[in-house]
Each structure stands twice: as C-alpha cells, then as structure tokens.
Amino acid sequence: MNTRLLRRPLLGAIATLSLGLGLALPATAQSPYPSKPVRLVVNFPAGGPADLLARTIGEYLQRSLNQPFVVENKAGAGGNVGATDVARSPADGYTLMVGIDTAFTVNPHIYDNMAFKPGDLKPVMIMASSGLLLGVSQASGIKRFGDLLSEGRKRSLNFSSGGNGSPGHLAVAMLSNSTPIKTTHIPYRGNTPAVTAVLAGEVDGGILATPGMLPHVQAGKITALAVTSSKRSQLAPQLPTVAELGLKSLETEVLYVVMAPAATPDAVMDVLQKNITSALQQPEAKERLKSLDMFYEGITGEAAARRLATMSTRYGEIVRNIGMKAQ
C-alpha cells in the first residue's frame, strides 16, 4: 500500500477541520501588540519637559503592556531629526515619537527642506499643553516688563531658545513683531541649555518652558516677567499673562504629543490610546503634569489632527508676516 497517497487526504482533512473550528494555523498566527520592545523617540534632549513626560508614561506602559518602552533622545533641527526617524520606521507601533507640536505646526513653514512631511505621521494623542515663561537674566538689569520695552528700544536683546523652530524661537519672533523692541535669537540644543544661558548671563533672556525657569526664579537668579498661556501658571500664579500686559497676540501654547507613522493600524492605535489615557490618569502622572506646569488634554483621532492643523495655519501666518526662517 502507498502510504504517501493515504497521508495527503489525512493532512487535507486536518487542515479543513482546523479552519472549520476557527483554529489558527502557525503560518497565520499573529501575536497581540506589543510583542516586543517599543521605542519612544523624544525629538529633544534629555531632561526637558517632553523627555520627562515620555519617561513617565513609558514606565506605566511598560507595566500595563508587559513590554519595555525604551526612551531614545534624538535631538536636532528643531525636532526634525527625531520626527524623521519615526516617519521612516515601519508603521507597526514599535517606533513612536513623543515630543511637541512644532515639528508639525512651525517647522514646515520655516525649513526650506525637511526629510519628512507632516502627513507622514499621525497623532496618537495630544497629551497635554503648557505655556512659556518670559524671564530675563540678572545681568540684564531688567526688573519689570516696562524695563524690557525700554531696554529693547536702545539695543537688540539676545534671547535664547531650545532650537530653531522651537516654541521659544517662535515666541521671541512674536515678541519682536508685537512690540517696538529689537531682538536677536540665539538657538541652543534644547530647553535646558537655553535656560542655563539665561542663568549664566550669556543672553538677556528667554521665553522658555516654565519648569526649567522657575527654580532659578525662586532662587532669585532669573527675573520672571510674564507667562504666554491664556491662564496663569499653576506653579507661579502671581505672574501676569501676556494678555494681562496688553499683548494677547503673544499668547502661545506648547502641545505635548505622541505621534506614529501614518499607516499604523487602527487596532494598534486603539491599544496605545487606551493605555496612554490610563497612564495620564495615574496619581504620579498627574503630579508630573502639575510639576511641569502642564494641563491635561487627552485628545485623540480626528480632533487631535484638527487641533494641530489649526495651530499650523496660525503659525504659518505669523511666520510669513515676520519673515522668520530657520537660522
């Protein structure tokens, strides 16, 4: 008897039975997401607000999803370096960007050539928002906002920022456009060295993330003049908003976002959105947001995309009116 002839019908019957019972054969089996480590690419240096927030949610995601969430800092070109890395990665949920909105809302208007298009990435979530703090060095001799206006009419004031296209860069350009003062933008590689420059008197001031400035304000080493948010800072409620100083056009906010390659499957996006929402509701995350002077947003899907598009339109108009370009 030919055993090969008997084996073929038997194998066929097993396959048919498996399909009929809904059993997955090894060739089509898929592991649930995530089944391996996930990279969280922060497109600014370590120690800044985006980095601290990434590490906070990464710790929770690692516990809730039972896989490592590894934070990697890839700074440069106003956040474009890190965003490009993620845009060129497979759309499988294993490489995500955690950063701020400016790579998508400002950079397309000030960089002539970018290695990625904003449409190459889509928002997983807008996690939080924050304003900035306008502060000046002790060496500048400026004590009040009126002094800033007076000194800025006499000479060009040097302002640091976290890099070309960063919120501080845009805010300095808006300050110069909204008042008669003259400014010179001095870009640094991230918020932390930009704050250090103000502290050391290398520059006259900066319009930078509040948490990085405030310890030095409280120590009397940096003079705080105002915040750029529409409401007062949670950490320094005594400071006026720019609108209260008559400069509502200077109002600006920073959005802290998680972005994924545009073709990332909806099922993966759902897992991420659910778990990041849960992460941000944890007591330690709420405390982190407050310590960074951030307000919870939790916006996903089309609503998040519309928010970014609206900001891009506004900033595009400002950039064109000012003639701002990456230096």
Side-chain angles (χ1 to χ4, degrees), residues 49-57 127-128 256 280 289 292 294:
D51 176 71
L52 294 174
L53 187 54
R55 294 178 190 279
T56 298
I57 65 166
M127 296 183 291
Y256 293 85
L280 293 170
L289 289 180
L292 294 172
M294 294 181 187

Side-chain angles (χ1 to χ4, degrees), residues 268-288:
V268 171
M269 297 288 283
D270 289 344
V271 170
L272 289 167
Q273 289 164 355
K274 176 182 177 181
N275 282 273
I276 293 172
T277 298
S278 181
L280 293 170
Q281 299 305 317
Q282 302 305 307
E284 60 268 28
K286 289 182 178 181
E287 185 59 34
R288 173 67 78 186

Side-chain angles (χ1 to χ4, degrees), residues 23 73 81 142 176 196 200 238 242 292 316:
L23 300 176
N73 297 90
V81 172
I142 296 168
S176 186
T196 301
Q238 75 279 8
V242 288
L292 294 172

Side-chain angles (χ1 to χ4, degrees), residues 129-153:
S129 63
S130 71
L132 303 172
L133 187 149
L134 169 57
V136 292
S137 73
Q138 292 293 298
S140 71
I142 296 168
K143 302 298 182 184
R144 296 173 296 276
F145 189 74
D147 298 338
L148 180 78
L149 298 178
S150 177
E151 188 68 18
R153 291 188 183 99

